[in-house]
Amino acid sequence: ATTEVENYRYSLRPVRELYGHTLAGKFGPLALKAVRQKLIDAGLSRNLINQRISRVKRAFKWAVGEELVPPAVYHGLQA
């Protein structure tokens, strides 16, 4: 069984691979689309892709709550 920490690790890996060099405050809707496309290209199921994208959004929501990124970043990802 996969732990929740591992689920987040798998979910955030493509974010790190594509945008590890980018400030978190600059991560926006187009970046999220690129991450989604990477998951599609990897052949993952729609259900798994949706779960992973939701985890990415939750990670940014947490970061906003900790004042690590501006609230506009999370609001942009909700669009």
Side-chain angles (χ1 to χ4, degrees):
T2 308
T3 67
E4 194 62 20
V5 171
E6 288 173 315
N7 284 335
Y8 273 89
R9 187 174 293 131
Y10 290 135
S11 299
L12 292 169
R13 182 175 291 149
V15 175
R16 190 180 70 242
E17 289 172 354
L18 293 173
Y19 296 98
H21 60 282
T22 305
L23 294 173
K26 302 291 183 188
F27 190 85
L30 291 178
L32 189 63
K33 282 184 179 183
V35 170
R36 179 180 281 125
Q37 189 59 51
K38 185 171 177 73
L39 297 175
I40 292 168
D41 294 345
L44 301 179
S45 71
R46 179 187 298 251
N47 187 37
L48 187 56
I49 290 169
N50 289 342
Q51 287 175 357
R52 289 189 178 179
I53 292 298
S54 292
R55 284 190 196 101
V56 170
K57 290 178 182 178
R58 280 196 301 274
F60 276 92
K61 182 178 180 181
W62 173 85
V64 168
E66 297 294 315
E67 296 185 354
L68 299 173
V69 297
V73 174
Y74 174 66
H75 293 301
L77 297 181
Q78 293 299 98

